[in-house]
Amino acid sequence: MRRNVEPVASAAPLDRPAKSGLEARDPARRRWQAPTGERPAVRRLLIAAALAFLGFVLVLPLVLVFVEALKGGVGVYLAALADPDALAAIRLTLLVSAIAVPANLVFGLCAAWAIAKFDFVGKSFLITLIDLPFSVSPVVAGLVFVLIFGSQGALGPWLSDHGIDVVFAVPGIALATIFVTFPFVARELIPLMQEQGTGDEEAAISLGASGLQAFRLVTLPNVRWALLYGVLLCNARAMGEFGAVSVVSGHIRGVTDTMPLHVEILYNEYAFPAAFAVASLLALLALATLLLKSLLEWRHGGGLKPRRGH
Amino acid sequence: MDISIRRLRKEFDRYPALHGVSLDIASGELLALLGPSGSGKTTLLRLIAGLEFPTSGAVFFGAEDASQKSVRERNVGFVFQHYALFRHMSVADNIAFGLRVRDRATRPPEDVIRRRAAELLELVQLPQIGNRFPHQLSGGQRQRVALARALAIEPQVLLLDEPFGALDAKVRKELRRWLRELHERTGHTTVFVTHDQEEAMEMSDRVVVMGQGRIEQVGAPDEIYDRPASAFVHGFIGDSSALSVTVDRGEVFLGRRSLGPLAAGLPDGPARMLLRPHDLELTAQSAGAIAGRIAAVRRHGGARMIELEVGDKGERLEVAVPASTPICPEPVQAFRPLRWQIYPAG
């Protein structure tokens, strides 16, 4: 009989006066932990670090924008927004995004459709090209349009002879915005459409639908939530774009100033309450976008898969 | 509608998936395209449907050359492997889709469309689920809805790609019987693709066995099983073991032992002898029998499977004997072949 080994093992914890450290814990009573999990202390530390960083870098500035904007009271705030130049900037921003977002909606849908449903030479090159606006500095994008359409540019003189101004005018701002925001819709749709494949379209056409009917009745409804999501992000970026627009705009007050440019001008003129008032509108836009985005993800997460996050 | 396939060839990026296949399908027939993956069976089905265009060759629907027609104009009912139900539409809307997309001249009025969808749901024995969405259905239900949707356009031909591939064994068995009955009632010319020989044998009037882009054999299930046209068909359909033998003036030699004049009319030289496990009989005589060492004995349902190691190459022969047969402790046993097929090697 070797039973006498057992009491020794069970007596061990009793010998220790206090449970200190991990070793003291009875191994059988230690709480089960998922293999990929962490100890509570580590977990809390990581979360706290992340929250502190987020608070300092994201939340604090956002709160300060509103605090600064409302410092002089609601009257000053509203007066700053009612300023004709501010109103012109808001109008221009809305106009530009009303041009850029639908344009990118159509371009993005076409590009995603082509990439996901067809095989052709140069497909991977096209995918890389779509990502170009993400990798190139917006300032460079703006400069490119100045080079093409500027008074010294390739097409600029001919166009201005015909009474069309691109640079330092609305068309240039719209072009620069379209360039910068191009990837949002396409990037949102490509993975989803690739995953869905062409089976549904084949089914629709075998049932007698025309190509257009298949697109309208099957393809589009299949990607509608991802499309809306892409449009949302595209719109947020279109309204907030600074770099590329700054180069082509020429900063003509009340004419070619968008909201972000107007904020900078006001700030440089030490008109802080007015600058922050306009900035608060942009911040509100960001918050509204975030809210809608979360709502979409929560309600229609399935329709947005597969996700790579932004 | 009878279908005639004439020397159909299909290449994908210069890689041939189908080498000039010809096949005649009778009107009202239920035909199975059976083969391992990569045999070209799905390609053939998609070519019949018009979902692919052939590199050369033609498909005739009746007397009419359908080759130049698109899938839209061919009026075929195609049931996809994963059903391809429209996820944002209710079951009834899925079924009505084919009627609703018609142009105004040929589109039935909305109440007729709705009635037709209800009738089809009745036909596939799912009368209550018209308002549900595809994600709320089980695999078997989806399968039936996909079939109802394909039937809604009153197709000339019904084509099914691995119709039961995504279902579990029990549902598969039920649906097989059900589809066979439905075919008898509706009488559509039906072609379905499967890699499951049991499914092909049980359901179809004729089976087309395909391998590596070619038709190996066309015939009734019995014919395919009892008289396989090639070693490939023999090996693919049912259980079988192959032995390397030599043919000399009609006499078959296993190693140096003669099995008798079993191969009259076959060319001299190396050949393969294929035997099914049930087509061998335990014998005490050694003349004309296949002798070997028992390597393993397994129980297999109502039979006992013996793995016999034959010849100096160590080839294994599977033999099924009734479970009641006593297995002699003697390790060497002789079996007399009752039925066999011999194909020239190559």
Side-chain angles (χ1 to χ4, degrees), chain B residues 79-148:
Chain B
V79 177
F80 292 83
Q81 186 174 3
H82 300 290
Y83 320 132
L85 294 177
F86 307 131
R87 66 205 88 183
H88 59 281
M89 288 184 204
S90 72
V91 166
D93 287 344
N94 261 284
I95 295 173
F97 184 88
L99 299 174
R100 289 209 176 113
V101 295
R102 287 188 185 170
D103 50 26
R104 209 155 292 171
T106 54
R107 183 170 53 208
E110 183 58 29
D111 57 322
V112 175
I113 292 178
R114 240 176 275 150
R115 208 174 326 129
R116 178 101 183 100
E119 279 167 17
L120 282 160
L121 276 174
E122 198 86 45
L123 180 73
V124 298
Q125 296 168 352
L126 294 169
Q128 304 300 332
I129 65 157
N131 290 326
R132 285 204 224 156
F133 282 83
H135 67 92
Q136 297 169 311
L137 305 181
S138 72
Q141 288 174 326
R142 279 180 214 181
Q143 223 285 328
R144 292 178 193 211
V145 171
L147 192 65

Side-chain angles (χ1 to χ4, degrees), chain A residues 13-225:
Chain A
L14 294 175
D15 293 341
R16 309 239 167 117
K19 289 182 183 175
S20 62
L22 257 181
E23 304 84 356
R25 283 195 200 156
D26 182 353
R29 274 180 41 213
R30 202 200 294 175
R31 203 158 18 115
W32 184 84
Q33 176 184 305
T36 53
E38 278 303 337
R39 270 183 291 138
V42 177
R43 224 163 23 195
R44 270 180 228 124
L45 190 72
L46 283 172
I47 292 170
L51 281 181
F53 187 76
L54 274 179
F56 184 70
V57 175
L58 291 179
V59 181
L60 189 67
L62 201 60
V63 172
L64 275 181
V65 166
F66 288 99
V67 169
E68 283 294 324
L70 293 166
K71 220 176 198 171
V74 179
V76 176
Y77 179 76
L78 289 179
L81 291 183
D83 176 71
D85 287 346
L87 283 178
I90 293 169
R91 264 198 301 272
L92 183 61
T93 295
L94 291 177
L95 175 67
V96 166
S97 66
I99 297 169
V101 172
N104 277 334
L105 174 81
V106 174
F107 293 160
L109 207 52
C110 289
W113 169 271
I115 285 167
K117 310 279 177 183
F118 303 105
D119 271 323
F120 52 90
V121 182
K123 186 160 142 173
S124 54
F125 179 67
L126 183 60
I127 296 174
T128 315
L129 213 58
I130 287 173
D131 280 346
L132 184 71
F134 276 160
S135 51
V136 81
S137 165
V139 176
V140 177
L143 279 174
V144 168
F145 287 108
V146 172
L147 273 179
I148 298 172
F149 296 109
S151 53
Q152 312 291 320
L155 295 175
W158 184 83
L159 281 171
S160 61
D161 285 349
H162 291 76
I164 304 168
D165 286 323
V166 176
V167 171
F168 308 141
V170 176
I173 298 172
L175 272 175
T177 307
I178 288 173
F179 178 89
V180 170
T181 56
F182 179 74
F184 286 98
V185 174
R187 282 280 298 251
E188 206 52 55
L189 291 182
I190 289 168
L192 182 68
M193 285 172 103
Q194 270 176 335
E195 192 208 40
Q196 289 178 346
T198 51
D200 283 12
E201 284 79 12
E202 278 186 345
I205 288 168
S206 82
L207 290 168
S210 65
L212 201 64
Q213 280 174 320
F215 179 76
R216 193 165 53 84
L217 299 172
V218 174
T219 312
L220 210 52
N222 274 348
V223 299
R224 58 190 159 178
W225 299 117

Side-chain angles (χ1 to χ4, degrees), chain B residues 286-307:
Chain B
S286 64
I290 300 168
R293 196 181 60 79
I294 293 178
V297 180
R298 285 175 288 118
R299 181 63 189 260
H300 194 279
R304 207 178 283 287
M305 294 294 252
I306 299 172
E307 256 182 58

